[in-house]
Amino acid sequence: MIPGSKGRHPSFKRGLLFALQGARQAFAQEANLRRMAIAAVLTVVAGLFVGLDVVSWALVLACIGAVLTTELINTAIETVVDLVSPEFHPMAGKAKDIAAAASCCISITAALIGLLIFSRARSEEHTS
């Protein structure tokens, strides 16, 4: 329940504002998230340059969404762990490491998918 909501569910607009506030805070605090967003923009520009087909665009955008979402979840987990365990604790470190590993895993997967898509687009460009 959101403080001050008096037992009601927040409106869609209010929930969206909270989500945007969270995204703004995450981008302000997390350099990795900013780097991933820059990579996403460069990937979209490259996709426009090579003229990706609709299926390729769907895969690229799904990968971008998955990477950014996973990094946001990683940031949320790290924030909660820091809140409940301000001093170092092995279990807190383990939770943060696992969350970071999830972000790394999806980033590598997305990069490999991107390599496949862009290498196929490039080879089709040279054969036409």
Side-chain angles (χ1 to χ4, degrees):
M1 178 108 37
I2 296 171
S5 66
K6 299 180 184 174
R8 294 175 284 139
H9 293 289
S11 68
F12 176 78
K13 181 180 176 182
R14 186 174 168 144
L16 183 60
L17 290 174
F18 284 126
L20 292 172
Q21 178 183 347
R24 185 175 44 248
Q25 289 172 345
F27 276 95
Q29 296 171 359
E30 296 297 322
N32 279 343
L33 190 57
R34 291 191 299 273
R35 286 184 200 105
M36 290 175 183
I38 291 168
V41 169
L42 293 174
T43 301
V44 169
V45 169
L48 292 169
F49 181 74
V50 300
L52 294 179
D53 59 65
V54 173
V55 173
S56 296
W57 271 117
L59 290 168
V60 165
L61 294 175
C63 286
I64 289 170
V67 167
L68 294 177
T69 299
T70 304
E71 187 59 28
L72 286 167
I73 293 169
N74 176 42
T75 299
I77 290 170
E78 288 182 352
T79 301
V80 170
V81 168
D82 289 345
L83 173 68
V84 299
S85 182
E87 298 85 31
F88 177 78
H89 188 282
M91 294 296 284
K94 181 178 180 181
K96 291 171 80 169
D97 290 348
I98 292 169
S103 186
C104 185
C105 181
I106 195 66
S107 296
I108 290 169
T109 302
L112 293 172
I113 290 170
L115 285 172
L116 291 172
I117 289 170
F118 281 96
S119 65
R120 187 185 83 186
R122 186 172 176 209
S123 67
E124 288 175 357
E125 188 178 87
H126 289 298
T127 59
S128 44

